[in-house]
Amino acid sequence: MKKIIIFIVIFFIFSVFSNLFGQSTKLLFRKKSMFGGNKYINIYLSNSFGSESIEPDSITSSNNIYFSYKPDGDWNFKEKDLNKDINSICINQDKSSISSIKTLPLKKYGKILLVVATFPKDKILITQPIEFYNDLDISQPIHIPEKYWPNYKTYSQYYTEGAKLYDEKNYLKSFEFLKHFITDDKEITRYSFFRLAQQLITKTVKNLVAEKQNEYKILSLELSISIDENNISKLESIYTTLIEAKQTFEPYFKISDAESNELQQQINQLTTDVNQTINKIKETFETEKLALFENGNYNDFRFSLYIDLLVRILCYTNEIEETNKLDSFDPSVIDNFKSLKKELIELEWLDDFNLILSIINKHITSNGYVLNASAIENLEKQQNSEKQPYYNIFMAFNSMGKNELDLFVQFINQAFKKCTDNELFSFLELRYLSYLAAKNQISKTVLSCLNEGLNYENKGDFASAEQQYEKATKLASNYAPPLFYLGRIHHKKNEKYIAETYFEKALNIYPQYIAPRKYKLEFLMDEKEYSSALEQVDYALTYSPIWYFYFMKASILLNLKNYEKAKEIIMDECFPLNTYNFDQYIILGDAFLALDDRENARKYYIEAGKLEPENKTYSKRMAKLKEKQ
């Protein structure tokens, strides 16, 4: 606060002295005669009543300005003086002569004590010296105090507010007020505080540059020791301030003297240095954050959780879109995976994971890949340990990012083969159907009908859903998805024969369509129509030899009491595709138990328990095994 107090005191001193000096002058009124010596009058700035006490607003708001003439010494004006001698007094300013428009004598006890002269303010340069003259004399100039100048209030506020903000070290806002003093306007340059304001302008620029240089040095040192996200944000804040400062200080830099040029060079160099450091640090920071995917393994719970959740976010969709490009994803999709998000929150990893998502989104936008080559190589080495086909899914989307669509199809199909998670499987198929929609140029109108139908179906409004699906089939009669969805609606309405017709139509168009075959198998199993289910699953396997259909075949065979064939399917077909599934170990254990091979039954039940130790099915199977023994 000391600085601002000093500025205000100096400002006050200037104001006081400017009020004390230069507001009055003398003019020879009558030359000496045989009856006396020279007579002078005092001329001073006044109000319309002759008072020297003048409110600034009374001048700024008036069209006139008033000066009072008062005899200097022990004498008074006479009536005869009013017309000739008083009216002959004029103002001389800037080579112009300005006459009064009115004179008003003020009397007391019949004596004229003084005369108030009214001058038109628009003719007078109030900021410049004013001389009075008559036929006998020219006065010394009067300087009207700056507090009466038209813009004094505005500029004094600019100065005091700028000085206050400077003292508070709010340099950018301070400059916004002080910049009004970067001018050669004669009125402004005559203010008593003009030079002080200009000094403050230079100090403002200097201090901001010095402050940011110091902050930059400290942060650079801290970041060289350890990269911290908070310090990166502080560094970005410095850069933002410098960019703003360059724009804000532009009027000062246009002065183009040695000092302003030097300061401009300093701020330009500092801005460049800070930006380069940010880019370098962020690159290092992002590399460190993504190192988890390059060096991690599935025994590390963080690595396993992050990979699984990232794949689900990447694949997530609840509709068919016309797209064959890799687009950045919406991080809020994480909210659809409540249990996984809950784990992140409980382990205090949510912020870290969200940061990684933002970095990956940046790579998708800038580089066209989800994970880099090192991370992909790390996942490739661990395919035997992954619970779901993570490697194939990442490779599929990376291929799409490179516009290598044949590879995208290849890796998606590999993912279909190995996927054991129904939710992930559904996302993958919708993603693939979206690719096919783009490839086959399915119109947006058709897709809009489909997606509206899905929305209605999810809400239980089957009639509206059916209407939309029927519209889509009419608009694109050779497109399989609307037929499948139409069949599903009829099946939900318990119209099984109609449903079957639509499923067959969909499969005739697209034999590799997994969803209809999967749906048919599930309802046949629910109805315990195992023979029909076996026929359907064998047919499905001719088009799609995937883990899911092999698993379903083993389950069907188990129900048909073909235990040898059931365990053969699990061991020879399912295990080579994916060993991380609880249910397949249960089926295998059940098959061995039915064959009275309790040792192998126990072995595979325990394998199931290793995957899901808290699963009640595992507990029941172990209890059942114990009873048999």
Side-chain angles (χ1 to χ4, degrees):
M1 285 297 292
K2 288 182 179 179
K3 290 180 182 177
I4 189 64
I5 291 170
I6 292 170
F7 289 139
I8 292 173
V9 168
I10 293 170
F11 180 34
F12 175 74
I13 290 170
F14 270 103
S15 298
V16 169
F17 275 85
S18 66
N19 288 342
L20 290 177
F21 299 103
Q23 296 182 62
S24 65
T25 188
K26 286 186 178 183
L27 182 70
L28 180 60
F29 189 72
R30 190 153 346 280
K31 286 188 176 182
K32 67 180 178 179
S33 64
M34 64 178 64
F35 300 106
N38 291 336
K39 291 183 178 179
Y40 291 88
I41 58 172
N42 289 315
I43 302 176
Y44 60 88
L45 182 68
S46 71
N47 63 17
S48 60
F49 303 105
S51 173
E52 293 181 76
S53 177
I54 314 166
E55 290 297 325
D57 287 344
S58 69
I59 290 183
T60 55
S61 63
S62 174
N63 293 325
N64 301 315
I65 188 167
Y66 305 97
F67 292 94
S68 290
Y69 308 149
K70 187 175 183 180
D72 182 36
D74 189 19
W75 64 277
N76 296 312
F77 291 125
K78 296 179 180 179
E79 291 289 342
K80 66 178 182 178
D81 296 331
L82 298 177
N83 292 328
K84 182 181 178 183
D85 296 324
I86 293 294
N87 288 335
S88 69
I89 299 172
C90 298
I91 287 176
N92 177 43
Q93 189 183 54
D94 199 29
K95 298 180 181 179
S96 296
S97 178
I98 306 164
S99 301
S100 61
I101 57 177
K102 180 182 178 182
T103 54
L104 176 67
L106 298 182
K107 300 178 181 181
K108 188 175 182 181
Y109 306 122
K111 295 182 179 180
I112 301 174
L113 301 180
L114 57 87
V115 175
V116 179
T118 303
F119 288 86
K121 194 172 69 174
D122 62 348
K123 298 277 182 75
I124 295 174
L125 300 173
I126 200 169
T127 63
Q128 295 185 20
I130 299 172
E131 295 176 339
F132 289 84
Y133 74 95
N134 56 17
D135 294 338
L136 303 175
D137 192 14
I138 297 177
S139 73
Q140 291 296 312
I142 284 179
H143 298 273
I144 296 179
E146 60 187 23
K147 67 179 181 179
Y148 299 123
W149 297 1
N151 298 308
Y152 171 80
K153 186 175 182 180
T154 298
Y155 281 89
S156 64
Q157 286 178 344
Y158 286 154
Y159 173 73
T160 53
E161 191 62 30
K164 176 175 173 289
L165 289 165
Y166 170 85
D167 192 59
E168 294 171 356
K169 297 184 179 180
N170 194 338
Y171 300 122
L172 290 178
K173 285 190 177 179
S174 172
F175 188 89
E176 289 293 342
F177 288 97
L178 296 173
K179 69 181 181 183
H180 296 285
F181 296 95
I182 302 175
T183 180
D184 56 3
D185 187 301
K186 289 182 180 179
E187 176 190 343
I188 300 168
T189 60
R190 286 191 176 97
Y191 285 121
S192 59
F193 44 85
F194 175 75
R195 290 193 180 281
L196 292 173
Q198 287 208 314
Q199 290 171 12
L200 274 184
I201 287 170
T202 301
K203 288 181 179 179
T204 295
V205 179
K206 274 185 179 179
N207 286 7
L208 183 130
V209 173
E211 180 185 84
K212 297 307 165 189
Q213 282 176 332
N214 187 51
E215 290 176 10
Y216 170 58
K217 286 177 183 177
I218 293 170
L219 284 171
S220 295
L221 179 61
E222 291 178 0
L223 285 165
S224 68
I225 298 169
S226 175
I227 296 178
D228 175 76
E229 187 182 354
N230 187 46
N231 280 345
I232 293 176
S233 295
K234 288 179 181 178
L235 205 59
E236 288 177 325
S237 178
I238 291 175
Y239 180 72
T240 301
T241 300
L242 289 171
I243 293 296
E244 185 182 353
K246 287 172 68 174
Q247 185 175 358
T248 301
F249 295 154
E250 189 176 353
Y252 173 74
F253 294 141
K254 283 183 178 179
I255 296 173
S256 199
D257 59 18
E259 192 166 33
S260 69
N261 287 342
E262 183 182 351
L263 286 169
Q264 186 176 25
Q265 289 174 7
Q266 286 181 18
I267 201 169
N268 285 341
Q269 186 61 52
L270 181 58
T271 305
T272 300
D273 293 345
V274 171
N275 188 42
Q276 288 176 347
T277 301
I278 288 171
N279 291 335
K280 183 179 178 182
I281 293 292
K282 285 181 80 171
E283 185 177 343
T284 305
F285 180 69
E286 290 175 4
T287 301
E288 288 181 1
K289 280 292 174 187
L290 297 181
L292 174 70
F293 302 117
E294 298 175 16
N295 305 315
N297 61 75
Y298 290 107
N299 292 324
D300 176 1
F301 184 73
R302 185 195 288 256
F303 175 82
S304 180
L305 177 61
Y306 280 22
I307 286 288
D308 187 69
L309 187 50
L310 179 57
V311 159
R312 291 177 192 278
I313 292 171
L314 183 66
C315 296
Y316 175 81
T317 183
N318 55 7
E319 59 183 27
I320 299 176
E321 304 171 276
E322 184 186 8
T323 178
N324 56 7
K325 295 179 181 178
L326 176 62
D327 296 316
S328 58
F329 48 80
D330 180 2
S332 68
V333 168
I334 193 174
D335 295 333
N336 292 285
F337 308 105
K338 291 181 172 52
S339 61
L340 296 176
K341 183 179 179 181
K342 183 181 177 184
E343 283 201 272
L344 288 177
I345 293 170
E346 289 174 349
L347 295 168
E348 298 182 357
W349 291 344
L350 182 59
D351 289 342
D352 182 65
F353 185 77
N354 281 331
L355 177 60
I356 285 174
L357 287 184
S358 68
I359 295 170
I360 289 174
N361 252 347
K362 177 182 172 183
H363 286 315
I364 289 173
T365 303
S366 304
N367 307 316
Y369 62 72
V370 184
L371 294 179
N372 64 22
S374 297
I376 292 294
E377 185 180 350
N378 183 41
L379 293 177
E380 184 179 18
K381 292 175 183 176
Q382 300 184 69
Q383 287 186 78
N384 292 333
S385 302
E386 62 184 10
K387 295 180 180 179
Q388 297 302 325
Y390 302 129
Y391 166 74
N392 285 292
I393 291 171
F394 283 119
M395 281 299 295
F397 284 100
N398 273 9
S399 299
M400 181 176 275
K402 296 175 186 174
N403 201 32
E404 296 173 345
L405 299 180
D406 289 342
L407 282 177
F408 167 76
V409 172
Q410 178 183 322
F411 283 112
I412 279 287
N413 283 326
Q414 286 299 313
F416 282 140
K417 283 186 178 181
K418 298 179 180 181
C419 187
T420 66
D421 184 284
N422 277 330
E423 179 185 64
L424 184 57
F425 199 103
S426 175
F427 296 154
L428 279 172
E429 187 161 44
L430 284 175
R431 283 286 186 184
Y432 187 59
L433 289 172
S434 294
Y435 156 75
L436 290 177
K439 180 182 179 182
N440 297 318
Q441 297 181 330
I442 303 300
S443 76
K444 291 182 179 178
T445 305
V446 172
L447 297 180
S448 177
C449 290
L450 273 184
N451 293 324
E452 278 190 52
L454 289 171
N455 187 42
Y456 283 128
E457 187 177 351
N458 289 334
K459 292 177 180 179
D461 186 352
F462 296 154
S464 297
E466 184 178 353
Q467 187 178 17
Q468 291 298 321
Y469 296 150
E470 285 179 345
K471 183 178 177 181
T473 59
K474 292 172 183 175
L475 290 169
S477 57
N478 205 34
Y479 186 47
L483 293 164
F484 163 60
Y485 294 136
L486 201 52
R488 188 170 66 185
I489 284 291
H490 282 289
H491 188 267
K492 287 179 179 180
K493 292 164 62 179
N494 206 29
E495 298 169 350
K496 296 180 181 179
Y497 295 110
I498 299 175
E500 183 68 26
T501 302
Y502 282 115
F503 290 152
E504 287 304 317
K505 285 183 178 182
L507 290 169
N508 286 335
I509 294 170
Y510 178 33
Q512 291 80 25
Y513 200 173
I514 295 170
R517 299 190 189 283
K518 188 170 180 288
Y519 193 87
K520 286 173 68 175
L521 275 173
E522 287 171 357
F523 75 68
L524 286 171
M525 290 292 285
D526 289 341
E527 297 293 325
K528 297 183 180 181
E529 296 180 15
Y530 301 122
S531 296
S532 296
L534 183 61
E535 183 181 337
Q536 287 294 329
V537 80
D538 282 335
Y539 191 47
L541 283 165
T542 60
Y543 291 100
S544 304
I546 63 177
W547 178 92
Y548 174 80
F549 288 142
Y550 283 119
F551 171 78
M552 289 298 287
K553 183 173 182 177
S555 181
I556 293 165
L557 290 167
L558 186 73
N559 281 285
L560 289 171
K561 301 186 185 329
N562 191 342
Y563 305 121
E564 284 289 348
K565 189 64 176 175
K567 67 184 181 67
E568 181 183 313
I569 292 291
I570 294 292
M571 298 181 78
D572 294 346
E573 305 295 348
C574 291
F575 281 172
L577 293 173
N578 195 327
T579 58
Y580 286 85
N581 178 264
F582 175 87
D583 292 322
Q584 67 185 353
Y585 287 108
I586 295 295
I587 286 178
L588 196 54
D590 288 349
F592 275 110
L593 187 61
L595 292 168
D596 205 29
D597 187 343
R598 296 172 190 169
E599 183 178 348
N600 273 318
R602 177 182 177 82
K603 172 184 173 182
Y604 289 109
Y605 287 151
I606 288 174
E607 288 297 320
K610 288 178 182 178
L611 295 179
E612 297 181 26
E614 296 182 10
N615 193 308
K616 291 181 180 179
T617 300
Y618 165 64
S619 301
K620 289 178 181 178
R621 289 298 194 277
M622 293 302 289
K624 184 178 180 181
L625 186 63
K626 188 175 181 180
E627 287 175 8
K628 290 256 184 183
Q629 292 174 336

